[in-house]
């Protein structure tokens, strides 16, 4: 099965309100069966094979949020579109532990939806759920990752995306939930051009139109095989300089640490500390600019542009994956102005050794995930209005 995810440029903001956070996982891992996977994208593909689906998108700290509705009658909610795990989940009544969400967005109550149905313990979807167990024939689940934790009951429901309804989506109805919010706000984010996310299964239709297709293997974490899509990053080039990054810097270790993941829900890319420092210094050298003190911007590397100075060009950025040398097609994918006299690198330093190929790098690029062959393909320089 070949699946497609395309992000169109979304505006950034520094909203400080608490989000109604929902994990909206667009792809299933190989631990799920192809026929029965609880995948929003797969169900959407069956409903609309020609045009795909589109939804409004916004940014909260480092995560995207998509405006959707659930149930019948429909209840609005905001979802974070991740490819980082198997599970779609939402806060549900009755809440024994729920984090705050805006008063205008009520906590979903499955008892008031005519389209909600609990999953049976015998259902294969229940058996595929994270840490599933059964009590009183209810399929219960539990999941925890870096963004928080959720525990509750598995069910199926109708999701509304834009003007399209997708029925029979399996999801976690969370009664005990926690949310980890990054510290600080990014006060000076750039504002790209558009504000939509397109989700579709147009891969087969678009294959004849593709230009350059670059592919690299999808790796699994031995300690958490159902979390994250890992890829093998072997080096980075800035301008014409291949950086002297130690060979094992991006390796996925046997204990599950390190490595690089494809992070659709992470706005900003992150690089392991040693690699980030080399990238930062090389941009400084090739731009021939001094570092700027922009701690209030939230970025880890900014450069001061002297009055009257004109930037004629910026260095190209190339990621050398296993079998694929991916040159980011535009400096918009990694550089942005923070006020007219400061240029910032939109790559952050990883605090835990995990590198992330984040969404800034992915914008205006098709991402194809072939889960049977365990390969992810990049199609750079996509004209979004052709999709």
């Amino acid at each position: 099965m070949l699946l497609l995810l395309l992000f169109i440029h979304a505006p950034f903001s520094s909203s400080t309100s608490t989000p109604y956070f929902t994990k909206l996982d667009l792809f299933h891992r190989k631990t799920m069966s192809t026929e029965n996977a609880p995948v929003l994208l797969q169900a959407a593909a069956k409903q609309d094979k020609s045009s795909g689906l589109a939804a409004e998108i916004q940014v909260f700290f480092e995560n995207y949020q998509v405006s959707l509705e659930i149930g019948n009658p429909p209840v609005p909610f905001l979802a974070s579109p991740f490819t980082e795990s198997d599970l779609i989940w939402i806060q549900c009544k009755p809440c024994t532990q729920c984090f705050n969400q805006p008063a205008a967005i009520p906590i979903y109550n499955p008892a008031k939806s005519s389209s909600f149905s609990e999953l049976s313990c015998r259902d294969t979807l229940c058996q595929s759920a994270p840490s599933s167990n059964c009590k009183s024939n209810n399929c219960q689940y539990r999941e925890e990752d870096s963004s928080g934790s959720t525990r509750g009951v598995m069910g199926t429901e109708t999701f509304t995306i834009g003007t399209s309804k997708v029925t029979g989506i399996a999801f976690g109805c969370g009664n005990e939930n926690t949310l980890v919010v990054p510290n600080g706000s990014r006060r000076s984010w750039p504002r790209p051009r558009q504000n939509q996310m397109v989700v579709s299964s147009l891969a087969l239709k678009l294959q004849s139109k593709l230009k350059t297709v670059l592919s690299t293997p999808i790796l699994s974490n031995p300690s958490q095989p159902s979390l994250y899509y890992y890829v093998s990053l072997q080096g980075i080039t800035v301008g014409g300089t291949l950086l002297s990054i130690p060979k094992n810097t991006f390796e996925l270790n046997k204990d599950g640490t390190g490595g690089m993941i494809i992070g659709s829900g992470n706005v900003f890319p992150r690089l392991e500390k040693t690699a980030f420092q080399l990238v930062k210094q090389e941009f400084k050298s090739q731009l021939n600019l001094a570092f700027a003190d922009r701690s209030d911007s939230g970025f880890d590397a900014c450069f001061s542009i002297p009055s009257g100075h004109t930037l004629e060009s910026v260095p190209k950025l190339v990621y050398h994956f296993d079998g694929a040398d991916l040159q980011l097609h535009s400096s918009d994918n990694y550089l942005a102005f923070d006020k007219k006299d400061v240029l910032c690198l939109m790559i952050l330093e990883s605090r835990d050794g995990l590198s992330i190929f984040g969404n800034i790098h992915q914008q205006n690029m098709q991402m194809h995930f072939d889960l049977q062959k365990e390969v992810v393909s990049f199609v750079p320089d996509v004209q979004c209005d052709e999709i």
Side-chain angles (χ1 to χ4, degrees):
M1 174 171 31
L2 193 62
L3 303 177
L4 168 66
L5 175 64
L6 171 65
F7 278 92
I8 300 176
H9 278 79
F12 296 106
S13 68
S14 56
S15 169
T16 57
S17 61
T18 302
Y20 182 13
F21 181 86
T22 297
K23 287 288 290 299
L24 177 65
D25 298 298
L26 301 178
F27 302 98
H28 70 87
R29 299 287 296 181
K30 59 186 178 184
T31 54
M32 299 288 191
S33 66
T34 301
E35 295 79 11
N36 298 310
V39 187
L40 180 59
L41 185 60
Q42 182 174 325
K46 293 179 180 179
Q47 175 160 327
D48 188 349
K49 296 181 179 179
S50 60
S51 61
L53 300 171
E56 294 302 312
I57 195 166
Q58 58 184 284
V59 172
F60 178 82
F61 292 110
E62 290 183 37
N63 293 309
Y64 284 107
Q65 293 180 330
V66 183
S67 299
L68 304 175
E69 293 180 317
I70 184 172
N72 186 20
V75 175
F77 71 100
L78 297 176
S80 181
F82 277 24
T83 52
E84 282 84 331
S85 74
D86 292 333
L87 184 68
I88 299 171
W89 65 266
I90 187 172
Q91 292 203 122
C92 290
K93 289 185 176 181
C95 274
T96 56
Q97 177 182 333
C98 283
F99 49 81
N100 293 332
Q101 60 189 57
I105 303 181
I107 293 178
Y108 164 73
N109 187 349
K112 293 186 176 181
S113 174
S114 62
S115 49
F116 173 78
S117 179
E118 287 190 357
L119 278 180
S120 165
C121 287
R122 297 185 299 274
D123 197 299
T124 55
L125 292 178
C126 174
Q127 298 166 15
S128 298
S131 302
S132 63
N133 63 76
C134 288
K135 293 182 179 179
S136 303
N137 201 37
N138 291 334
C139 177
Q140 300 189 4
Y141 75 94
R142 176 176 55 83
E143 182 175 79
E144 182 175 355
D145 59 29
S146 61
S147 61
S149 64
T150 178
R151 182 197 301 263
V153 176
M154 293 292 295
T156 60
E157 192 44 293
T158 296
F159 284 70
T160 303
I161 309 171
T163 59
S164 300
K165 291 184 181 295
V166 186
T167 60
I169 300 299
F171 74 110
C173 197
N175 309 115
E176 300 177 31
N177 314 292
T178 62
L179 172 66
V180 177
V181 178
N183 292 327
S185 63
R186 305 197 175 277
R187 304 176 188 173
S188 304
W189 281 348
R191 296 183 178 274
R193 295 182 293 275
Q194 299 182 19
N195 63 339
Q196 277 195 334
M197 182 189 73
V198 177
V199 181
S200 80
S201 62
L202 300 179
L204 295 178
K205 179 180 178 182
L206 292 174
Q207 273 184 317
S208 61
K209 299 181 180 180
L210 300 183
K211 301 174 184 177
T212 302
V213 180
L214 304 171
S215 300
T216 189
I218 295 174
L219 309 178
S220 293
N221 189 322
S223 66
Q224 295 179 304
S226 67
L227 289 178
Y228 307 135
Y229 292 100
Y230 285 85
V231 288
S232 177
L233 180 62
Q234 301 178 341
I236 297 175
T237 291
V238 177
T241 303
L242 177 63
L243 303 182
S244 300
I245 300 173
K247 184 177 180 180
N248 63 349
T249 298
F250 300 111
E251 283 187 1
L252 175 57
N253 301 315
K254 292 182 179 179
D255 63 0
T257 61
M260 170 173 269
I261 64 170
I262 302 290
S264 63
N266 300 93
V267 175
F268 293 101
R270 289 182 178 270
L271 290 175
E272 184 274 340
K273 183 177 180 179
T274 300
F276 175 80
Q277 291 299 324
L278 289 170
V279 170
K280 171 183 173 180
Q281 292 294 335
E282 191 62 31
F283 268 98
K284 176 182 181 294
S285 175
Q286 294 192 29
L287 289 169
N288 195 24
L289 298 174
F291 286 125
D293 180 12
R294 298 299 298 174
S295 57
D296 62 336
S297 73
F299 294 108
D300 293 327
C302 292
F303 313 96
S304 179
I305 302 175
S307 178
H309 180 80
T310 301
L311 279 177
E312 296 182 358
S313 63
V314 297
K316 298 290 186 182
L317 181 61
V318 181
Y319 282 80
H320 301 285
F321 294 106
D322 180 7
D325 295 329
L326 177 63
Q327 177 178 310
L328 300 185
H329 121 94
S330 169
S331 60
D332 289 344
N333 292 104
Y334 52 92
L335 287 172
F337 281 95
D338 180 25
K339 298 185 178 180
K340 64 180 181 179
D341 60 346
V342 174
L343 184 67
C344 290
L345 186 63
M346 291 193 291
I347 301 173
L348 305 180
E349 181 180 311
S350 174
R351 305 296 189 241
D352 57 7
L354 176 65
S355 297
I356 302 174
F357 190 79
N359 188 262
I360 289 293
H361 286 347
Q362 300 172 33
Q363 289 177 352
N364 290 315
M365 177 189 300
Q366 288 180 23
M367 304 282 291
H368 297 255
F369 292 78
D370 190 325
L371 303 182
Q372 273 65 54
K373 295 181 179 179
E374 296 185 336
V375 168
V376 58
S377 298
F378 309 94
V379 186
D381 196 16
V382 173
Q383 299 300 317
C384 293
D385 56 3
E386 294 179 1
I387 303 301

